[in-house]
Amino acid sequence: MTYVLIPGAGGDPRYFDLLVDELHARGHDAVAVALPAADPDAALPEYAATVRAVVDTHPEVVLVAQSMGAFTAALVADHPAVRLLVLLNPMIPAPGETPGDWAAATGHAQARAAYAEAQGRDPHADIDLTVDFLHDVPADVFARMSDGPQESDAAFVRPNPLRAWPPVPTRVISGRDDRLFPADFQRRLAVDRLGVHPQELPGGHLLALSQPRLLAETLLSLTDD
């Protein structure tokens, strides 16, 4: 079984370096895919084609997608090699929904503001890399990938060809301390859109950086189920 890992916005495969190491240490193959996120001519169809080319080379795959990577994963999970789809702190798409439409359609801004207020933070503050993403990530871990690529606008605005959720077993893993996509928000979205109750782990939005060992163990436990 090979774990094929799809990064979130920016498409940087280095996000999964620590998780790949943990999976390799446990005797499992893992491949992090570099998405063409900085290409202004590339959007979800091109992202999906990139991932499919990797999946094509493996007979059995667990597809793991971080955040915005769920949009790409949904377009690839019908591949006959995919045995399980695991979404990490995901932007779970509805059929035809673009990443640019997702936040308004799901009520994300309101959920994020309510969680910030409950924690005593400014509910009106803009999304901040340090506050919303890195609050539980060791500084030396993030420093190695701080110059990563930026997402072009194409993926947010070009049509999403997804017509129905693929008929593959799907699991959701949520960071209990995620400030970007609060756990309650993720739980509601996963139940409403997939009929799935997330498994919650301690940690924020970037679990592969803050909790690579625990995340690897959790992925292996899902495969063993």
Side-chain angles (χ1 to χ4, degrees), residues 3 19 22-23 26 62 64 84 86-88 171-174 176 198-202 207 211-225:
Y3 292 83
L19 179 60
E22 293 289 346
L23 291 170
R26 291 161 173 76
V62 175
V64 181
L84 178 68
V86 182
L87 306 177
L88 308 178
R171 304 289 182 267
V172 176
I173 298 175
S174 298
R176 191 177 301 141
Q199 180 169 350
E200 294 184 7
L201 301 182
L207 288 171
Q211 297 280 2
R213 179 176 300 177
L214 178 60
L215 182 54
E217 292 170 351
T218 303
L219 290 173
L220 294 180
S221 73
L222 293 176
T223 308
D224 292 339
D225 287 348

Side-chain angles (χ1 to χ4, degrees), residues 67-68 70-71 88-94 97-99 101-116 118 121 127 132 172-200 205:
S67 194
M68 185 175 157
F71 276 83
L88 308 178
N89 289 322
M91 295 172 65
I92 302 171
E97 185 176 74
T98 67
D101 293 334
W102 179 87
T106 59
H108 167 248
Q110 296 89 334
R112 176 178 165 269
Y115 185 61
R121 295 181 286 110
I127 292 175
D132 293 291
V172 176
I173 298 175
S174 298
R176 191 177 301 141
D177 312 302
D178 193 336
R179 295 178 177 178
L180 184 66
F181 301 159
D184 287 348
F185 167 75
Q186 291 195 49
R187 193 178 305 118
R188 171 177 61 80
L189 195 63
V191 171
D192 288 351
R193 294 194 165 185
L194 300 177
V196 171
H197 291 271
Q199 180 169 350
E200 294 184 7
H205 192 65

